[in-house]
């Protein structure tokens, strides 16, 4: 417990966008949709409830009762909420989860949208069956949430139906979680830059390549997602220490993602392509208090993948 008070750990449970895509072509990077766990001191923070949330829920069972956890949603498109009805700890009495989300353009709250997802004929069991204490919080874009010595900032992202990005600040560390956003054609997004500025870690939606995004036969312009090339631009402009490519297209198999990894690293060496099980520890090296350590205790697509990046 003493060590947990001085750690900032980021673990990836779902790294895909759009739809879960398990299969032989996605074994190494994984096929679950968006879900990222952060351990900030003694706090448990979860970002998005895609199908990766189900797997995280299984991992949390030995830790119950969970009395101080916080679940932040970027928005409520299916790939970011489909794991919620299968999140076992939410069904267990004695657990407590604070759930945050912005009010949608149609006026619905995150509580209403998660409830609707579990109503007939969409789902057999209603949200009210969940035995945990679920405390819902409506966020206004630009709000900050203070959790003891941690602070979570928000900003509007460029996505159909709106989405919000997050920045988690704790002690001298900062992690930006920016997914489901589309870059602008003529400028960098000031909201994205604000969340990313000098971050130790930038997790960024790079669903497409530039070639796919601008393909005249199948353009992705207006679909609400960005590219790894734009991720590099943001990382450089914001002086980010480490970049993580995230929200992979379901059509991009392991070999495709290997190429994205290589291409991104050529332009921004301190970069990774996220895979399920990827774990990043901030500031764990005694001689380098601002170091970023990468490991994967669950599974790594790369043999003994481990690196350290000092500030």
């Amino acid at each position: 417990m003493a060590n947990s008070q001085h750690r900032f750990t980021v673990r990836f449970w779902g790294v895909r966008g759009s739809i879960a895509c398990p299969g032989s072509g996605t074994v190494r990077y994984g096929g679950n949709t968006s879900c990222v766990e952060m351990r900030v001191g003694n706090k448990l923070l979860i970002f998005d409830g895609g199908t990766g949330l189900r797997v995280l829920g299984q991992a949390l069972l030995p830790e119950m009762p969970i009395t101080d956890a916080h679940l932040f949603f970027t928005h409520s498109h299916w790939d970011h909420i489909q794991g919620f009805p299968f999140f076992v700890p939410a069904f267990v009495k004695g657990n407590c989860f604070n759930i945050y989300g912005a009010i949608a353009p149609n006026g619905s709250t995150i509580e209403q949208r998660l409830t609707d997802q579990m109503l007939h004929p969409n789902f057999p069991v209603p949200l009210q069956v969940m035995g945990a204490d679920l405390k819902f919080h409506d966020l206004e874009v630009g709000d900050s949430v203070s959790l003891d010595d941690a602070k979570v900032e928000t900003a509007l992202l460029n996505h159909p139906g709106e989405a919000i990005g997050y920045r988690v600040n704790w002690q001298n560390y900062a992690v930006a979680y920016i997914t489901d956003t589309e870059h602008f054609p003529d400028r960098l997004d000031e909201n994205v830059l604000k969340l990313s500025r000098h971050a130790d870690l930038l997790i960024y939606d790079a669903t497409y390549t530039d070639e796919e995004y601008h393909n005249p036969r199948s353009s992705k312009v207006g679909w609400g997602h960005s590219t790894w090339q734009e991720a590099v631009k943001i990382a450089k402009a914001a002086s980010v220490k480490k970049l993580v490519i995230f929200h992979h297209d379901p059509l991009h198999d392991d070999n495709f993602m290997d190429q994205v990894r290589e291409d991104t690293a050529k332009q921004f060496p301190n970069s990774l392509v996220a895979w399920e099980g990827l774990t990043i520890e901030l500031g764990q090296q005694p001689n380098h208090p601002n170091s970023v350590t990468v490991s994967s205790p669950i599974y790594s697509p790369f043999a003994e993948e481990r690196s350290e990046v000092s500030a």
Side-chain angles (χ1 to χ4, degrees), residues 9 36 50 53 94 101 114 121 174 199 209 235 260 263 292 296:
T9 306
V36 176
L53 183 64
L114 292 176
T209 65
V260 171
D263 292 342
V292 178
S296 185

Side-chain angles (χ1 to χ4, degrees), residues 169-224:
N169 302 286
W170 180 72
Q171 296 187 3
N172 294 320
Y173 305 109
V175 174
Y177 178 73
I178 301 171
T179 187
D180 288 62
T181 194
E182 185 168 358
H183 56 278
F184 295 120
D186 56 346
R187 68 189 187 282
L188 296 180
D189 189 328
E190 288 297 327
N191 287 344
V192 172
L193 285 172
K194 177 183 176 182
L195 293 175
S196 305
R197 195 83 65 189
H198 302 295
D200 296 276
L201 196 68
L202 167 60
I203 303 165
Y204 185 83
D205 173 358
T207 301
Y208 308 119
T209 65
D210 275 356
E211 292 75 18
E212 290 173 316
Y213 183 79
H214 294 291
N215 188 327
R217 292 183 298 176
S218 181
S219 172
K220 301 301 188 293
V221 176
W223 287 32

Side-chain angles (χ1 to χ4, degrees), residues 211-261:
E211 292 75 18
E212 290 173 316
Y213 183 79
H214 294 291
N215 188 327
R217 292 183 298 176
S218 181
S219 172
K220 301 301 188 293
V221 176
W223 287 32
H225 300 287
S226 194
T227 71
W228 69 260
Q229 289 94 334
E230 294 294 328
V232 168
K233 291 180 184 178
I234 288 290
K236 290 180 176 179
S239 299
V240 168
K241 293 185 179 70
K242 197 166 193 72
L243 168 66
V244 179
I245 299 300
F246 185 71
H247 203 271
H248 315 324
D249 190 286
L251 294 176
H252 292 171
D253 63 13
D254 290 331
N255 292 334
F256 192 102
M257 297 314 303
D258 284 344
Q259 189 61 56
V260 171
R261 177 179 183 248

Side-chain angles (χ1 to χ4, degrees), residues 32-217:
N32 281 304
T33 59
S34 302
C35 182
V36 176
E37 171 195 8
M38 299 189 195
R39 301 283 181 144
V40 185
N42 287 327
K43 299 289 185 185
L44 168 60
L45 279 59
I46 304 168
F47 291 86
D48 277 329
T51 58
L53 183 64
R54 183 194 67 83
V55 191
L56 170 57
Q58 296 298 311
L60 291 176
L61 295 180
E63 299 184 34
M64 296 192 302
I66 299 166
T67 59
D68 190 16
H70 305 267
L71 174 53
F72 294 87
F73 285 93
T74 55
H75 62 314
S76 58
H77 285 166
W78 292 124
D79 52 328
H80 294 257
I81 64 173
Q82 279 182 316
F84 185 75
F86 302 93
F87 184 50
V88 172
F91 288 87
V92 180
K93 188 175 181 179
N95 291 335
C96 178
F97 294 93
N98 291 278
I99 302 174
Y100 305 81
I103 296 174
N106 69 354
S108 62
T109 66
I110 189 63
E111 180 177 10
Q112 290 172 322
R113 284 171 277 155
L114 292 176
T115 298
D116 288 348
Q117 179 188 211
M118 296 177 67
L119 290 176
H120 293 301
N122 298 323
F123 200 73
V125 178
L127 183 145
Q128 288 72 21
V129 172
M130 289 180 161
D133 182 11
L134 305 180
K135 300 178 179 179
F136 290 92
H137 306 270
D138 296 326
L139 293 175
E140 293 285 344
V141 175
D143 278 353
S144 294
V145 178
S146 294
L147 304 172
D148 294 334
D149 58 345
K151 181 180 180 182
V152 182
E153 300 178 72
T154 67
L156 184 66
L157 301 178
N158 182 32
H159 192 67
E162 296 188 356
I164 56 175
Y166 293 98
R167 176 187 175 101
V168 181
N169 302 286
W170 180 72
Q171 296 187 3
N172 294 320
Y173 305 109
V175 174
Y177 178 73
I178 301 171
T179 187
D180 288 62
T181 194
E182 185 168 358
H183 56 278
F184 295 120
D186 56 346
R187 68 189 187 282
L188 296 180
D189 189 328
E190 288 297 327
N191 287 344
V192 172
L193 285 172
K194 177 183 176 182
L195 293 175
S196 305
R197 195 83 65 189
H198 302 295
D200 296 276
L201 196 68
L202 167 60
I203 303 165
Y204 185 83
D205 173 358
T207 301
Y208 308 119
T209 65
D210 275 356
E211 292 75 18
E212 290 173 316
Y213 183 79
H214 294 291
N215 188 327
R217 292 183 298 176

